[in-house]
Amino acid sequence: MKPCLIICCFLLQVKLSPAQNTSLAPTPPMGWMSWNFFADNINEKDLKEMADAMVSSGMAKAGYNYIFIDDGWQGGRDNKNNMIADPVKFPSGIKALAKYMHDRGLKLGIYSDAAQLTCAGYTASLGFEEQDAKTFAGWDIDYLKYDYCHAPIDVETAKTRYKKMADALRNSGRDIALGICEWGPRKPWLWAASVGGQLWRTTYDIRDKWKNLSSNENAEGILDILDINAELHQYSGIGKWNDADMLVAGLYGKKGPSGDLGGIGCTDLEYQSQFSLWAIMNSPLYATNDLRNMNEATKIILLNEEVIALNQDALGKQAIRKINDSIWNVFVKPLANGDVTVAILNRSDMLQKFEIIFSQLGLMDKYEIRDLWLHKNIGKGKKWNGNVLAHETKVFRLKKI
Ligand code: GLA
C-alpha cells in the first residue's frame, strides 16, 4: 500500500469511530489487580509493596506495568462532592501513590461503578461522571475499571452510563483507559468499543477452580470462562479486548472473593493452562496473587516471556478454537511475523495421546515446532503427536520452513 493511502485509511478510521481510542490499550493491559487477594482490605503500603515486588521479581521487565486498585479505596465525598480516598487506608492520597508508580515506570488503575454504590458498597460515580473523571485525571490515574453493581439490567441504560463515563474520561485532560465490567449479560462485545471502552469483561468473576461443579452460573472456574470467551474472538482486536477476568495463579484456594462459591484452588498445571489460554485469547493479564511471596511454580508461569509475547503480539488476533470436543480444544492464533501459535488443551481428567496434522487446522506448510513451556524446538514437520497431561495446555509456536 502506498504511504498516502495508508494515512488516508488511518484518518478515515479515526473519523469513523471517534468513540474508540485504540492507543490507550494497543495491546492487552498487563499488571496486578488487588481484588482477589485483598478484597476491599487494601492500603497504600500493601499496594506499594506489590509494585516493588512487580519490579524485583522481573514481572515489570516482562511487561506487567499496571497496579490496578480495585474496590475499597473510597472514603466518600468532600463538601464539594469531590471523591476522596479513605484517609486511613491511603494517608498520603492517591496522587502520591500514582507518583510512586510512575517513578518506577509503572501505571496506576482505579475502580468505580456506574451506580450510586460499588459492588462492595462504597461511593460510586453515577451523576458525578465528569467530576470524578477530572478527579482521577488530577490524581494522574491511567486506567478506570468501571463496574455495574446496583445498576438497572437493561442494555440501553448500560450503554448510556458507560458512554457518559467514557466521554468524561476523554474530556478529563488525561489519557485514561476504560475497562467495562458488566460481566457479560448485556453482551458488551457488541457495543463496548463503540461507547468508548478499551476492554470489557465477558463473564462473571472467576473463582479459583478448574470448573464449576455447582448449579450456580455465577460460580465460574477456568473452563467455564474459557467456553464463553473463546467464542467471542471476532469482537476482539487492537485496542478492544475481551477481558476474561483475573489470573488465579498462586492463589491456591486462599479465602476471599476467588475462594468463594467453590474456589478450592487449582494445581500449578491448571494455573499454567489458564495463563496460556488467557494469553492466546488476548485477555488482559492481571495477576492477583501475593507478588511478595511467590513460589517458583508461580514465577515460572507468570514470567513465561514466550507466552506473554503471544498475548502482546502486534497483530492483535485472538486465537480461534478450531477443535472443541469433550476431550480436546485446539486453538490457532496467527502472529505478526508470520509464525502461528497452536495450543492444545486436554480437558479430560486423564493423560491422553494426541496427533494433530497441521493441515487439519488450515496450516498447509512445513514448520519448525517450538514448545513455549519447554522453551525449546522439538521438531520439524507437518504434524505433532505426543502425550498431553490432564488439564494441560501445550503451546507451540510454528515457524514456516
Ligand atoms: C465485581 C467485579 C469484581 C470486583 C468486585 C469489587 O464483582 O466483577 O472484579 O471488582 O466487583 O467489589
Side-chain angles (χ1 to χ4, degrees), residues 122-315:
Y122 292 84
T123 303
S125 294
L126 183 67
F128 294 95
E129 290 83 355
E130 281 171 15
Q131 191 169 349
D132 290 356
K134 288 216 166 74
T135 299
F136 300 150
W139 289 343
D140 298 330
I141 291 292
D142 304 293
Y143 180 103
L144 173 67
K145 171 176 176 177
Y146 204 40
D147 218 332
Y148 206 64
C149 281
H150 313 294
I153 59 168
D154 67 286
V155 63
E156 287 311 317
T157 306
K159 285 185 196 172
T160 308
R161 290 190 183 188
Y162 278 108
K163 183 169 185 318
K164 186 109 203 250
M165 183 49 96
D167 292 347
L169 292 174
R170 200 168 326 98
N171 296 329
S172 70
R174 186 173 170 84
D175 282 342
I176 302 178
L178 175 62
I180 286 178
C181 181
E182 66 73 72
W183 330 291
R186 285 153 288 264
K187 300 188 169 53
W189 43 90
L190 298 177
W191 50 264
S194 67
V195 302
Q198 279 70 46
L199 47 152
W200 48 87
R201 280 271 300 276
T202 55
T203 69
Y204 290 108
D205 296 4
I206 189 160
R207 307 296 161 176
D208 183 9
K209 58 182 169 180
W210 182 242
K211 67 179 171 201
N212 188 8
L213 297 173
S214 75
S215 56
N216 182 344
E217 62 166 16
N218 294 357
E220 287 160 345
I222 293 170
L223 272 193
D224 312 293
I225 290 193
L226 172 70
D227 286 339
I228 297 169
N229 205 69
E231 298 308 312
L232 300 172
H233 60 87
Q234 71 192 93
Y235 303 105
S236 169
I238 292 172
K240 46 181 192 122
W241 312 106
N242 289 315
D243 173 353
D245 204 11
M246 293 169 248
L247 300 168
V248 281
L251 287 173
Y252 299 113
K254 180 190 183 300
K255 283 201 189 329
S258 63
D260 289 347
L261 303 179
I264 52 169
C266 299
T267 65
D268 287 319
L269 193 61
E270 291 168 342
Y271 289 139
Q272 180 177 307
S273 268
Q274 188 206 10
F275 187 76
S276 301
L277 295 161
W278 268 228
I280 63 170
M281 293 193 296
N282 292 351
S283 175
L285 298 176
Y286 321 108
T288 184
N289 59 309
D290 187 354
L291 304 183
R292 303 163 301 187
N293 296 300
M294 276 193 284
N295 64 15
E296 270 316 296
T298 308
K299 281 190 202 162
I300 286 170
I301 295 169
L302 295 178
L303 287 166
N304 186 331
E305 296 197 36
E306 292 195 89
V307 173
I308 291 171
L310 307 177
N311 180 261
Q312 297 292 301
D313 183 75
L315 196 61

Side-chain angles (χ1 to χ4, degrees), residues 39-54:
D40 58 345
N41 300 313
I42 42 175
N43 61 62
E44 64 183 39
K45 178 176 166 289
D46 286 333
L47 296 182
K48 286 179 179 173
E49 286 177 8
M50 287 300 170
D52 293 347
M54 206 152 88

